[in-house]
Amino acid sequence: MNNLGLSLSQAKKVQRSLPAWGYKGETDGYLGTGSWMALQRYMKAYRGCNGAVDGVVGLNTVKALQRWMKTQFNYKGPIDGIAGPDTRAAFKRYANFI
C-alpha cells in the first residue's frame, strides 16, 4: 500500500474514480497494487507514463504523476521521480478535487 500521504477518505475518492481504468478492488482507502495499476493505465493513456503497468509506485510512475500534477494541481517541483512533500501535496489537491 502506498497512499503517497493521502488520508483514507482521500484515497477512497481516488479509488472511486478508477473503475473505468480496470480497478475492481474494494474502496477501502488503501492504494495498493490494483489501485496503482489502474492509475498507471490512466497515466499511460493520458499523462506520459512510459513504465510498466505493474502497480509499483516507482520512478516512472512518480514522474508521470508529477507531470500530471504540474499541469493541473499546482505542482511546482522537479520531474525527478521522488515522491517528496510537494508531490504528495499536489496529489492531495487532486484527491480533494475529485
Side-chain angles (χ1 to χ4, degrees):
M1 186 232 12
N2 191 344
N3 281 12
L4 292 186
L6 298 186
S7 68
L8 291 179
S9 63
Q10 289 168 322
K12 284 179 182 180
K13 290 173 73 175
V14 170
Q15 286 174 318
R16 284 192 286 272
S17 74
L18 297 175
W21 298 100
Y23 181 65
K24 295 179 170 79
E26 293 183 44
T27 303
D28 59 6
Y30 296 101
L31 300 180
T33 302
S35 299
W36 280 104
M37 285 178 75
L39 277 165
Q40 288 168 332
R41 284 185 201 101
Y42 169 76
M43 291 191 296
K44 196 169 197 78
Y46 294 104
R47 301 293 172 189
C49 185
N50 57 7
V53 176
D54 57 7
V56 175
V57 187
L59 184 71
N60 287 326
T61 298
V62 175
K63 282 182 175 182
L65 183 67
Q66 289 170 329
R67 281 191 294 273
W68 175 20
M69 298 296 106
K70 191 173 275 275
T71 64
Q72 293 181 298
F73 297 99
N74 204 31
Y75 174 67
K76 298 199 184 300
I79 308 299
D80 60 5
I82 299 168
D86 293 337
T87 302
R88 291 169 183 256
F91 194 42
K92 285 182 180 190
R93 286 191 289 276
Y94 162 69
N96 290 329
F97 171 78
I98 55 173

